[in-house]
Amino acid sequence: MNTLIRIVGTLIILNGLLSGAASAEDGYDLWLRYQPLPDTEREILTHNATALITPENPSATTQVAINEMQRAFHGFTGNHLPITSEITQGTILIGTPDSSTAIARLALPFGSIGKEGFLLRSMEINGFKTTVIAANTDLGLLYGTFEFLRQVQTKQDLSLLDIISAPDIQLRVLNHWDNLDRSVERGYAGQSIWDWWRLPTVTEPRYQDYARANASLGINGTVLNNVNAQPEVLLPRYIAKTAALADIFRPYGIRVFLSVRFSSPIEIGGLDTADPLNPEVQQWWKDKADEIYRHIPDFGGFLVKANSEGQPGPQDYDRTHVDGANMLAAALEPHDGTVMWRAFVYSEHNPVDRAKQAYDQFKPLDGDFADNVLVQVKNGAIDFQPREPFHPMFGTMPNTPLMMEFQITQEYLGFSTHLVYLGALYEEVLKADTYVQGKGSTVARVIDGSLHGYKQTGIAGVANIGVDRDWSGSIFNQADWYAFGRLAWNPDLDARDIAEEWLKMTFSTDPEFVQTAADMMMRSREAVVDYMTPLGLAHLMDTGHHYGPGPWVSELARPEWNPVYYHRADSEGIGFDRTPTGSNAVEQYAEPLAQHFSDLDTIDDKDLLWFHHLPWDYQMKSGKTLWNELVSRYDRGIEEVESMQAIWESLRPYVDQQRFERTADLLEVQLEEANWWRNASITYFQNVNGLELPEGIEAPPYSLEHYKSLSFPYAPGI
Ligand code: BDP
């Protein structure tokens, strides 16, 4: 390389670094970008924020808050905030009543914000305009600091702050389905971020950034490993690795949990049984818990998938879920640990509708679980489909705290390739009314504990995080992580508001951009429903990888793993009869909902084929036949993706090139695959019903054999 080129190269790199552009826009910084503000905005900010008063001997958590504030201000303005001890015009005052006498002197409603809440106020103190970030605990201060920075990033008026906020749900956790070999079950963003092999001695800067991102949303726990757990995670050397991560996350208020395999006492403990009523087994778990807590004093507890999809569990010994969960709960109880026991159970030997089985098994156990057990229930009764009615267990287990399990990773929604804003899905579930105590008994009220007076509450999201530079495999998938965290803090938030907030922080605050892009995000969920599983259809994805269409799959040994089990299409009609004439799954819902779902006059089109088996010529509310309506929904899905592409193109001026192109490329794949879904599905159903396509509808280009022949042995996430 000649000298001139080298100098020019160096100048370019330097220039890039100074402007922050070199690496800033590959998505790594998530919603915490802290980009330089334009002059006028910087002036407003520096007018409102002139200096920082922090507690004297800050704790590790308070120090994290201070560091974040400084990092952000350096990003916004190029300067750090001076630290001072005197209140003057524009000071930001951070502290708890214990750590700051200035805060203690203010008459603030500390009683209403609990351990994790905060107050964010513009106040006049000694005649000076001051911003107060106050909380009862250092963790509250950290959350308050992130809220303050969100106010700056979303361009709120900093002279009029008046926010009081506390989480509605206690346990707000991510579930990583990460294996010890760094593969990620249903992971579409590269390998696991946990480098188990090099831990505990070698740690990655990413671990801190992970913690920052989660703390910025109020996520306070993380389950590090797959629910299909490997027993080795409980060996001493893995406990040491887990402890190293716990040490990094602790200042950010994030506790670690582990998924455990129920048969671990056999596999790594040398016992010949894992029977939960066996005293040796009980002792083994007690000793194991004691050992973990010696290394991780604030360890959160265990997540358990038992007697589900071949995993071992108490039923292997003719014991119940209660026996299993309570045995583990007893081991954790002296340490304040929690058991999250999953209700994702169904059996191929049970001829009953799969959608009914979890309720059937768990409802009789209501009230029998130990106090430190939460039962973790997926949002719907089958499995993270593009759309499912809410799980009927919500509302019907008044004496057992149920926690929500959402999937953030898009196992059944096009992996990380398809732009689908899941905030809309989460909102639909949380706002769904169970009616168990009359109108307004929403799923949100169940899981925040207010409906049944649960003493413990929780929500989990199956993470979409991997080692990809952008963490989630696409920029827009970051929004799902973000939306999960925001709704975990406050399940009543609006998905659209969250989308707007995220867009402002992630891309641009320009109102034209924000409105247009938020429209696109809000429509994206319905689009995927339309091109994959319209009108209440579900589980039509191809076997194993769950990526493309496979409505024809009928030969798997387990009947309820076959898509034909779900759609039940034949020459006469399509759909799963879950009314009293069929499986009667509707009876698991409270009235008037059961009636609403059963009655063809009242049920919404979106749930139709989930609950009803109907003839192909059934007259829809639109006036079309069911067949014609179905076809038109597939087409609507395609049109929506085309429209998303056009919208994104119109937003080019607002987005940096790297993130723009990446998203545009992904949308191109999405359109191609939406077409694949439409064509394969229509071809298959047409093959079953022998009906003509409605007039003017484009015929799919290939035969059914072609679609059936496609195979994807190397699809990620399996
Ligand atoms: C299904 C996934 C499978 C998970 C299972 C679970 O296909 O990989 O192990 O759920 O949640 O969605 O346990």
Side-chain angles (χ1 to χ4, degrees):
M1 201 195 293
N2 74 38
T3 325
L4 185 63
I5 295 179
R6 223 178 299 147
I7 292 172
V8 172
T10 313
L11 284 176
I12 290 171
I13 291 169
L14 256 181
N15 182 41
L17 285 177
L18 290 175
S19 69
S23 63
E25 301 300 324
D26 58 8
Y28 183 83
D29 291 333
L30 296 161
W31 46 88
L32 303 173
R33 290 161 59 249
Y34 308 140
Q35 289 294 291
L37 295 173
D39 292 350
T40 43
E41 286 171 24
R42 194 175 59 235
E43 266 164 43
I44 298 174
L45 177 64
T46 46
H47 174 76
N48 281 297
T50 53
L52 191 61
I53 302 187
T54 65
E56 266 173 39
N57 306 316
S59 69
T61 298
T62 307
Q63 193 57 53
V64 164
I66 297 167
N67 293 350
E68 195 69 25
M69 188 74 101
Q70 293 295 24
R71 174 190 199 123
F73 267 79
H74 193 263
F76 296 143
T77 67
N79 297 312
H80 289 127
L81 278 167
I83 304 278
T84 166
S85 54
E86 294 270 313
I87 292 176
T88 53
Q89 188 65 25
T91 307
I92 301 175
L93 173 61
I94 300 186
T96 65
D98 292 336
S99 65
S100 155
T101 42
I103 292 281
R105 273 201 294 269
L106 302 172
L108 292 171
F110 286 106
S112 56
I113 54 173
K115 279 206 209 132
E116 293 178 301
F118 58 82
L119 293 144
L120 188 54
R121 288 229 178 138
S122 308
M123 299 178 81
E124 193 131 312
I125 305 179
N126 306 336
F128 297 117
K129 267 237 170 234
T130 310
T131 298
V132 172
I133 304 176
N136 290 316
T137 63
D138 297 340
L139 184 56
L141 290 186
L142 178 59
Y143 291 153
T145 301
F146 275 116
E147 180 61 56
F148 173 72
L149 296 175
R150 183 158 39 234
Q151 297 290 312
V152 179
Q153 287 173 284
T154 57
K155 308 249 153 78
Q156 308 303 311
D157 188 339
L158 298 181
S159 64
L160 295 172
L161 296 174
D162 185 11
I163 297 176
I164 172 161
S165 183
D168 289 329
I169 299 174
Q170 294 158 6
L171 205 57
R172 306 176 295 278
V173 295
L174 288 183
N175 286 184
H176 288 267
W177 285 0
D178 296 16
N179 298 312
L180 302 181
D181 65 0
R182 280 193 99 165
S183 60
V184 181
E185 183 152 344
R186 313 308 177 183
Y188 314 111
Q191 284 194 301
S192 168
I193 53 171
W194 319 131
D195 188 348
W196 288 109
W197 190 251
R198 293 195 181 95
L199 279 164
T201 315
V202 180
T203 60
E204 301 291 330
R206 210 182 242 263
Y207 301 156
Q208 252 107 13
D209 288 327
Y210 167 86
R212 286 176 52 232
N214 281 314
S216 78
L217 305 173
I219 287 172
N220 64 1
T222 180
V223 185
L224 299 174
N225 62 321
N226 192 355
V227 286
N228 298 315
Q230 292 145 317
E232 294 82 2
V233 78
L234 293 177
L235 288 174
R237 69 170 186 281
Y238 279 94
I239 294 175
K241 294 168 193 282
T242 300
L245 290 173
D247 289 343
I248 294 172
F249 300 158
R250 189 165 297 113
Y252 299 84
I254 296 169
R255 297 203 300 165
V256 301
F257 295 72
L258 291 174
S259 294
V260 297
R261 185 167 162 90
F262 198 77
S263 53
S264 301
I266 303 174
E267 285 136 356
I268 61 164
L271 302 186
D272 57 11
T273 176
D275 180 350
L277 299 194
N278 178 304
E280 275 182 276
V281 172
Q282 295 171 349
Q283 192 59 45
W284 188 86
W285 283 108
K286 281 204 161 89
D287 293 344
K288 190 46 82 180
D290 294 348
E291 179 189 348
I292 296 174
Y293 280 92
R294 276 197 298 280
H295 297 274
I296 313 169
D298 56 354
F299 180 67
F302 297 144
L303 171 63
V304 194
K305 172 176 178 177
N307 293 122
S308 158
E309 300 188 329
Q311 293 297 315
Q315 292 172 344
D316 304 348
Y317 307 93
D318 284 330
R319 313 296 185 200
T320 66
H321 287 291
V322 167
D323 296 328
N326 288 2
M327 183 238 342
L328 294 175
L332 294 168
E333 193 273 336
H335 309 283
D336 272 341
T338 302
V339 174
M340 298 175 288
W341 190 269
R342 295 176 88 227
F344 180 63
V345 296
Y346 61 99
S347 158
E348 74 270 37
H349 306 300
N350 185 348
V352 170
D353 175 5
R354 173 176 168 186
K356 294 179 72 176
Q357 294 187 25
Y359 174 103
D360 285 350
Q361 282 199 45
F362 276 83
K363 172 77 182 152
L365 306 176
D366 187 25
D368 296 343
F369 288 95
D371 285 348
N372 56 333
V373 176
L374 282 153
V375 172
Q376 182 167 311
V377 184
K378 289 189 182 181
N379 60 274
I382 300 291
D383 195 9
F384 298 139
Q385 296 303 296
R387 169 167 283 126
E388 291 185 50
F390 71 85
H391 200 302
M393 282 176 70
F394 291 113
T396 46
M397 299 276 287
N399 303 307
T400 307
L402 299 188
M403 63 187 283
M404 170 66 73
E405 180 175 320
F406 281 129
Q407 197 175 42
I408 308 173
T409 190
Q410 290 176 205
E411 173 182 353
Y412 292 98
L413 294 92
F415 296 2
S416 55
T417 326
H418 293 206
L419 194 166
V420 181
Y421 173 50
L422 295 178
L425 186 160
Y426 304 154
E427 174 179 56
E428 179 176 286
V429 175
L430 292 167
K431 294 196 171 148
D433 202 334
T434 69
Y435 289 95
V436 290
Q437 290 179 21
K439 209 169 164 19
S441 309
T442 59
V443 172
R445 294 279 79 75
V446 175
I447 61 161
D448 73 13
S450 56
L451 197 67
H452 304 305
Y454 292 160
K455 289 199 194 68
Q456 284 199 84
T457 53
I459 182 167
V462 180
N464 64 353
I465 297 166
V467 288
D468 278 7
R469 259 314 271 183
D470 64 13
W471 300 83
S472 303
S474 105
I475 304 295
F476 274 87
N477 287 355
Q478 298 173 357
D480 301 331
W481 175 9
Y482 186 88
F484 167 76
R486 298 289 284 141
L487 287 165
W489 182 274
N490 178 356
D492 294 326
L493 289 179
D494 226 60
R496 167 137 195 150
D497 293 345
I498 297 174
E500 290 185 10
E501 195 179 87
W502 175 80
L503 285 163
K504 288 180 192 166
M505 297 166 80
T506 304
F507 289 110
S508 157
T509 53
D510 187 290
E512 176 64 27
F513 169 80
V514 173
Q515 290 310 316
T516 314
D519 286 346
M520 176 182 79
M521 288 171 75
M522 291 306 289
R523 283 161 58 179
S524 63
R525 189 287 185 108
E526 213 53 49
V528 76
V529 169
D530 277 344
Y531 64 73
M532 285 189 184
T533 52
L535 298 174
L537 290 172
H539 218 299
L540 306 186
M541 297 74 192
D542 204 356
T543 309
H545 50 72
H546 295 160
Y547 193 56
W552 47 80
V553 176
S554 63
E555 275 153 14
L556 303 177
R558 293 188 63 151
E560 78 300 356
W561 281 359
N562 288 312
V564 296
Y565 173 94
Y566 297 95
H567 63 67
R568 311 211 155 194
D570 58 19
S571 58
E572 306 291 313
I574 182 171
F576 199 128
D577 184 1
R578 295 192 162 104
T579 70
T581 55
S583 80
N584 204 15
V586 288
E587 74 175 346
Q588 296 180 339
Y589 291 95
E591 290 298 357
L593 208 50
Q595 182 58 34
H596 170 87
F597 287 144
S598 297
D599 188 341
L600 283 169
D601 289 335
T602 54
I603 190 167
D604 301 325
D605 283 354
K606 69 180 171 56
D607 299 319
L608 190 66
L609 301 176
W610 183 277
F611 288 108
H612 294 270
H613 183 85
L614 296 168
W616 291 106
D617 62 359
Y618 173 77
Q619 282 291 309
M620 299 289 292
K621 293 187 186 107
S622 64
K624 292 186 188 139
T625 64
L626 172 54
W627 169 236
N628 287 4
E629 181 72 41
L630 189 68
V631 172
S632 75
R633 294 292 171 122
Y634 285 116
D635 278 336
R636 191 172 80 177
I638 309 290
E639 282 157 23
E640 281 295 281
V641 181
E642 282 167 349
S643 147
M644 281 159 64
Q645 266 191 321
I647 293 175
W648 186 246
E649 188 52 47
S650 79
L651 297 176
R652 187 189 280 273
Y654 301 98
V655 182
D656 52 283
Q657 197 187 346
Q658 194 173 347
R659 292 186 303 165
F660 180 84
E661 300 284 344
R662 168 87 178 172
T663 304
D665 289 350
L666 288 170
L667 281 168
E668 204 174 308
V669 179
Q670 184 171 359
L671 180 60
E672 216 169 279
E673 296 183 345
N675 272 299
W676 169 31
W677 265 96
R678 175 232 185 238
N679 292 330
S681 307
I682 291 180
T683 304
Y684 168 72
F685 288 128
Q686 210 177 4
N687 221 268
V688 170
N689 63 18
L691 294 171
E692 294 289 316
L693 282 177
E695 219 177 309
I697 296 295
E698 204 179 310
Y702 300 110
S703 70
L704 182 58
E705 290 323 305
H706 165 80
Y707 296 113
K708 281 178 153 180
S709 73
L710 304 175
S711 95
F712 304 91
Y714 308 116
I718 307 174

